[in-house]
């Protein structure tokens, strides 16, 4: 990237397969969008609007949607949305928030829709299971007993060979 004044271009196709016009996007706009969309809760808020025909929702509706997908407690999600996430999305001009009515209106751009349209909205909600073979504990025990950092590192690497990660579908 050249600097703050550099411009990026978003290319793609419309739903009917035709090429759409190139849209210049400033670096600071990209920084704002990526910062706002960096959190899984905020991505789920946008996914709510992309998946529904609604362009307005209450913070309560959004908290229920996010809590269901993340398997989190409704209250903690509602507090996080109210005090942090909604304002971050508002600052990035992805939504407009009316604090008097606690309503959120989606005003996202083609770029936001394109980015999140490519993402797996449920990827953050899927859990990862791990299984460790009997050799893992033996090598970890050796690592804890080792005084030499090189030996400790070697034992940890050996232990990791016995660990298996699987994503639930």
């Amino acid at each position: 990237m050249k600097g703050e004044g550099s411009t990026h271009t978003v290319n793609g196709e419309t739903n009917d397969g035709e090429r759409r016009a190139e849209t210049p996007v400033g670096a600071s706009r990209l920084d704002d969008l990526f910062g706002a969309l960096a959190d899984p809760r905020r991505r789920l808020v946008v996914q709510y609007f992309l998946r529904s025909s609604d362009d307005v929702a209450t913070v309560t509706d959004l908290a229920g949607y996010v809590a269901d997908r993340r398997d989190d407690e409704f209250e903690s999600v509602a507090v996080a949305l109210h005090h942090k996430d909604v304002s971050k999305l508002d600052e990035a001009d992805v939504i407009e928030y009316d604090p008097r009515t606690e309503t959120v209106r989606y005003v996202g751009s083609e770029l936001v829709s394109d980015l999140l349209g490519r993402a797996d909205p449920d990827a953050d909600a899927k859990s990862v299971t791990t299984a460790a073979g009997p050799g893992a504990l033996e090598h970890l025990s050796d690592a804890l007993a080792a005084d030499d950092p090189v030996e400790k590192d070697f034992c940890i690497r050996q232990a990791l060979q016995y660990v298996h990660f699987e994503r639930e579908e």
Side-chain angles (χ1 to χ4, degrees):
M1 240 191 278
K2 294 177 185 172
E4 201 60 23
S6 65
T7 301
H8 302 274
T9 304
V10 178
N11 295 330
E13 295 182 355
T14 60
N15 291 338
D16 57 6
E18 293 182 23
R19 297 291 289 168
R20 67 176 176 235
E22 294 181 353
T23 306
V25 180
S28 63
R29 174 73 176 137
L30 281 176
D31 290 344
D32 291 345
L33 285 175
F34 288 148
L37 299 174
D39 185 272
R41 280 189 312 267
R42 294 192 288 267
R43 288 193 300 273
L44 282 170
V45 166
V46 175
Q47 287 291 350
Y48 172 90
F49 291 111
L50 294 177
R51 289 182 158 199
S52 74
S53 58
D54 299 335
D55 63 345
V56 176
T58 65
V59 174
T60 302
D61 293 337
L62 295 172
Y65 180 84
V66 172
D68 287 347
R69 273 140 193 87
R70 292 185 45 92
D71 199 25
D72 286 342
E73 289 185 26
F74 172 82
E75 288 298 321
S76 65
V77 171
V79 168
L81 289 179
H82 183 74
H83 290 287
K84 180 180 176 187
D85 298 318
V86 168
S87 62
K88 188 81 167 171
L89 289 167
D90 190 24
E91 290 168 7
D93 295 325
V94 175
I95 60 148
E96 289 178 349
Y97 176 59
D98 183 352
R100 291 178 295 118
T101 60
E102 292 195 359
T103 55
V104 175
R105 185 171 76 82
Y106 179 66
V107 295
S109 65
E110 193 175 295
L111 176 58
V112 172
S113 299
D114 187 44
L115 285 172
L116 291 184
R118 297 170 189 258
D120 178 1
D122 300 319
D124 294 321
K126 294 177 184 172
S127 63
V128 175
T129 58
T130 59
L137 290 177
E138 181 182 325
H139 288 293
L140 285 175
S141 177
D142 292 344
L144 289 172
D147 291 329
D148 180 33
V150 174
E151 182 182 352
K152 188 178 293 272
D153 183 60
F154 176 78
C155 292
I156 291 171
R157 289 175 190 271
Q158 292 298 312
L160 287 174
Q161 292 180 6
Y162 293 93
V163 177
H164 306 280
F165 299 91
E166 292 181 14
R167 180 175 287 242
E168 291 180 12
E169 296 297 323

